[in-house]
Amino acid sequence: MTTSSTIDQGAVIISRLRAMRRAMAERGLAAWIALTGDPHLCEYQPEHWAFRKYLSGFTGSAGTLAVTTTSAALWTDSRYWEQAAQQLAPAGIDLMQDGAIDTPSITTALAAELDAGARVGLDPRTVSAKRFASLKKEFAAAGITLVCDMTLMDEVWTDRPQAAFHPVRTFGFGQKPVAEKLSGLRREIARAGAQALLISTLDDIAWLTNLRGADLECTPVFTAYAAVSNDRAVLFADVSKITGESLAQIASAGFDVIDYANALTEIPHVLEGQCVLLDPDRTSQALFEILEKAGISVVAHPQPTQVMKSRRTHEELELLKETMRRDGAAMCELFAWLEREIHEEKTVTELDVSHKLRALRSEIPGFMGLSFETIAAAGANAALPHYQPTPENNAVLSRGEMLLIDSGGQYEGGTTDITRTILVGGEASAAQKRDFTAVLRGHILLATTHFPRGTFASQLDTLARMPIWEIGCDFGHGTGHGVGFCLNVHEGPISISPRCPANAATRVVEGLVFSNEPGLYRPGRWGVRTENLVTPVAADPEIDQMMPMLVLETLTLCPIDFKLINTAMMSPYEIWWVNDYHRKVREALMPLLSVQAQEWLKRATETI
């Protein structure tokens, strides 16, 4: 439905695109590529860098806009096709369904539209060096030149928001001392054949310095760069954000602090004369160019901090387990509240669920905020894996439909991420039970399998899909992702996905924490996903065992809705697993709950 507000928004975007094309013409550019990026390649883009959103009106977390002198098109993946179609239409921007078989790549589409010799611009601060090299090569094959420009955005975006400003504080929960982390990092730098490392990813810097901030939504990090060599460590950060305690902590560990405003001019001086390790996947093209112009030698190599921070200490795991108890208790309080509201025939919307859950989490000691915006999706909305309710799109819950809630919190004791799909009153249909049970069986198969220590993460993905394939279905996302410790809710280097590369960094070993979340999505009907966080632990050895084996310990504690289970589809062992899991949930959470939630938990964990 077209409304006056969408028409007005369309007019605003059209005006911005006109200004964009004037700036392009002044620079002799035939096209501009606006990526969802920033100088630190953050998962959640800061508003200060949301130029693609400003130019297109599309608010999704992933997408790339291409603007030519006569057209504009945005590429985004299947999570956002419906949303993007609605948001792009008022300004006449074409939606390109990234991942669809017949959708051309950005370079292919632009090469078809532009003449040979054309110049295409982008901001090198918003693209990784690896992606830039790929784009440059593909354009060159079509006779098109890729041009870097760091001034156009400010010229066009005249009301650009200010950069975030939040204080930085110390973070010692379960952490090794900074000096110990630096020592280990220096060994890895030398092993890679380099003398220094330049880091721009904010979660790695927060982990290395044992500091936390609030410069990004849902991620407790602060804006900074860091450089580490054999005899020096430098943090480039806004000195006015760093308290006396924080400054004293990093200074005692050997860090010098240089103001962030001077980072791009000072980094070459700090690294002068050294061979520097840079990760092309996690470093912007702009930084690569700065070092290249300064004549500094670079070794392209995966960033060692990514693997180092993914290995949980014993203290972190113990803190996380307690955090999971309290987070699970908040989920139980939510479901008890929801059951009562539905029983009393009150109107409950998706946003009501989202707001109630945040309020319950905020009462937990050590709560620092959400780890991502809550996905509360009822009925057909749950068929969109990353749907989020808004005031304009906020469904009322109805009896007999399924509600998918994917949510998490940031706590001093770790980061949580949990998904539950429940029946909102009434009786489940046979089709709902079939889909839910297939997903649950996939979840159980991954949760209980024994596998050799060092198995590649991608090898585990098939296990969770097999029961879903049995009913002729599949799902487009990975089965699991790494989860940080009071850091990014999506953390590399591993992911349980067929797209995860097989290399030394993606082997599954003890200390990792990742999600187990198979799903199934029927457009226009419903979506199902069951997600727990897990950690690999040593399996009980057998007499004839040929090698060390691992099994996954489930960390998340929250009932699974047995009203949606078709036990006839399950093996006796799978039924036992559900009952045993519910026994553990009941024992762990009962002491933390209100009387009302205790009664709900007793019913929710009955033997099936």
Side-chain angles (χ1 to χ4, degrees):
M1 180 177 68
T2 302
T3 65
S4 60
S5 62
T6 57
I7 294 173
D8 291 344
Q9 176 66 7
V12 169
I13 297 302
I14 290 170
S15 175
R16 291 171 180 174
L17 289 174
R18 287 197 196 101
M20 181 72 192
R21 290 179 175 118
R22 286 194 295 270
M24 289 162 49
E26 291 170 359
R27 292 163 169 78
L29 298 175
W32 181 269
I33 299 176
L35 301 104
T36 305
D38 69 280
H40 304 280
L41 305 180
C42 300
E43 178 181 8
Y44 297 114
Q45 189 178 35
E47 284 298 313
H48 180 65
W49 287 94
F51 191 43
R52 183 269 296 159
K53 174 182 171 183
Y54 171 82
L55 285 176
S56 67
F58 170 60
T59 59
S61 66
T64 302
L65 176 70
V67 180
T68 72
T69 57
T70 58
S71 67
L74 183 134
W75 280 254
T76 191
D77 61 68
S78 60
R79 296 173 298 169
Y80 296 113
W81 289 349
E82 184 175 323
Q83 174 186 337
Q86 295 172 357
Q87 294 181 328
L88 298 175
I93 298 173
D94 295 325
L95 168 63
M96 307 297 284
Q97 296 182 338
D98 202 10
I101 295 175
D102 58 349
T103 299
S105 68
I106 294 174
T107 51
T108 299
L110 288 178
E113 183 175 346
L114 306 179
D115 296 330
R119 300 166 76 244
V120 175
L122 56 67
D123 193 320
R125 296 170 296 181
T126 66
V127 61
S128 73
K130 182 177 180 178
R131 187 175 185 192
F132 178 85
S134 177
L135 290 171
K136 184 177 181 180
K137 181 179 179 180
E138 292 170 17
F139 277 126
I144 295 171
T145 302
L146 191 59
V147 178
C148 292
D149 188 309
M150 295 193 294
T151 62
L152 181 146
M153 180 167 59
D154 277 330
E155 179 181 323
V156 174
W157 197 0
T158 54
D159 56 347
R160 184 180 178 189
Q162 293 295 311
F165 183 93
H166 298 282
V168 174
R169 66 182 182 88
T170 58
F171 184 82
F173 298 91
Q175 301 303 296
K176 295 178 181 178
V178 176
E180 185 177 339
K181 292 182 179 181
L182 280 172
S183 178
L185 179 56
R186 286 175 170 131
R187 287 194 295 270
E188 294 300 320
I189 295 170
R191 189 173 292 133
Q195 297 166 308
L197 168 67
L198 178 60
I199 309 173
S200 57
T201 42
L202 304 187
D203 57 327
D204 294 88
I205 294 169
W207 171 83
L208 180 62
T209 59
N210 286 352
L211 299 175
R212 296 294 188 270
D215 286 352
L216 281 186
E217 290 293 325
C218 301
T219 311
V221 296
F222 57 99
T223 306
Y225 295 100
V228 177
S229 61
N230 288 332
D231 56 2
R232 193 179 183 192
V234 179
L235 178 67
F236 300 89
D238 188 334
V239 293
S240 63
K241 294 180 181 179
I242 303 178
T243 65
E245 180 184 5
S246 302
L247 187 61
Q249 172 181 288
I250 58 175
S252 66
F255 266 100
D256 298 327
V257 178
I258 295 177
D259 195 75
Y260 183 83
N262 301 322
L264 298 186
T265 55
E266 290 298 322
I267 283 173
H269 299 305
V270 170
L271 298 174
E272 186 176 8
Q274 301 184 79
C275 180
V276 179
L277 188 159
L278 281 186
D279 188 336
D281 259 334
R282 299 170 65 77
T283 307
S284 73
Q285 174 63 18
L287 273 185
F288 263 81
E289 290 183 357
I290 286 170
L291 297 193
E292 183 181 31
K293 290 177 182 177
I296 294 173
S297 176
V298 169
V299 172
H301 189 278
Q303 201 160 280
T305 49
Q306 195 178 24
V307 171
M308 294 172 70
K309 78 177 186 302
S310 71
R311 308 305 199 244
R312 298 286 162 265
T313 66
H314 173 74
E315 291 79 8
E316 284 178 324
L317 284 173
E318 291 304 306
L319 286 167
L320 183 58
K321 289 176 183 178
E322 178 57 25
T323 295
M324 290 291 187
R325 285 184 69 232
R326 297 187 178 278
D327 196 71
M331 292 292 295
C332 291
E333 295 286 355
L334 173 77
F335 290 136
W337 165 82
L338 181 58
E339 181 183 72
R340 185 186 69 244
E341 297 293 292
I342 296 299
H343 177 72
E344 296 177 358
E345 298 185 350
K346 294 182 179 179
T347 299
V348 181
T349 68
E350 294 165 330
L351 277 179
D352 291 334
V353 172
S354 179
H355 294 159
K356 179 66 175 180
L357 183 52
R358 182 183 182 115
L360 289 166
R361 281 197 168 107
S362 68
E363 297 173 3
I364 299 174
F367 177 73
M368 299 170 66
L370 300 181
S371 55
F372 57 98
E373 290 298 328
T374 298
I375 298 168
N381 289 339
L384 305 171
H386 278 232
Y387 167 87
Q388 289 176 352
T390 64
E392 297 76 29
N393 188 18
N394 179 29
V396 175
L397 275 55
S398 300
R399 284 181 171 274
E401 70 179 2
M402 291 190 287
L403 171 69
L404 186 153
I405 305 173
D406 187 351
S407 65
Q410 296 283 7
Y411 303 90
E412 292 174 342
T415 301
T416 68
D417 184 2
I418 175 176
T419 307
R420 288 294 182 267
T421 306
I422 65 167
L423 184 68
V424 183
E427 293 291 329
S429 69
Q432 288 174 323
K433 287 186 175 183
R434 175 201 60 210
D435 287 357
F436 183 91
T437 306
V439 170
L440 176 58
R441 291 185 62 226
H443 180 97
I444 294 171
L445 191 53
L446 178 57
T448 58
T449 191
H450 287 55
F451 55 93
R453 185 180 191 277
T455 293
F456 293 119
S458 58
Q459 292 176 276
L460 299 179
D461 180 79
T462 300
L463 295 169
R465 294 181 190 269
M466 289 170 60
I468 300 169
W469 289 344
E470 288 177 8
I471 65 168
C473 299
D474 200 359
F475 54 96
H477 57 75
T479 298
H481 56 83
V483 178
F485 188 87
C486 197
L487 287 172
N488 289 2
V489 71
H490 300 118
E491 179 179 87
I494 75 155
S495 62
I496 311 303
S497 166
R499 294 175 291 276
C500 182
N503 56 46
T506 62
R507 292 187 180 276
V508 180
V509 296
E510 298 91 333
L512 297 171
V513 172
F514 54 88
S515 64
N516 173 5
E517 51 176 313
L520 192 161
Y521 310 95
R522 294 193 183 273
R525 298 179 71 185
W526 55 67
V528 177
R529 189 162 62 250
T530 298
E531 177 186 17
N532 286 338
L533 299 190
V534 297
T535 187
V537 296
D540 292 335
E542 299 179 5
I543 295 174
D544 58 350
Q545 185 170 296
M546 296 175 61
M547 62 192 71
M549 303 294 285
L550 300 179
V551 69
L552 299 178
E553 177 185 351
T554 295
L555 302 173
T556 305
L557 296 164
C558 182
I560 294 164
D561 193 350
F562 64 78
K563 297 188 297 299
L564 283 163
I565 296 176
N566 179 357
T567 55
M569 293 174 59
M570 301 177 71
S571 69
Y573 179 74
E574 290 167 343
I575 294 171
W576 172 87
W577 185 90
V578 172
N579 288 328
D580 185 63
Y581 177 69
H582 279 170
R583 175 188 59 80
K584 294 173 182 176
V585 169
R586 188 169 55 248
E587 292 174 355
L589 301 189
M590 196 66 76
L592 301 177
L593 300 176
S594 65
V595 173
Q596 177 188 341
Q598 285 179 341
E599 292 302 315
W600 176 87
L601 182 59
K602 290 176 185 177
R603 296 191 299 273
T605 56
E606 291 176 357
T607 301
I608 62 172

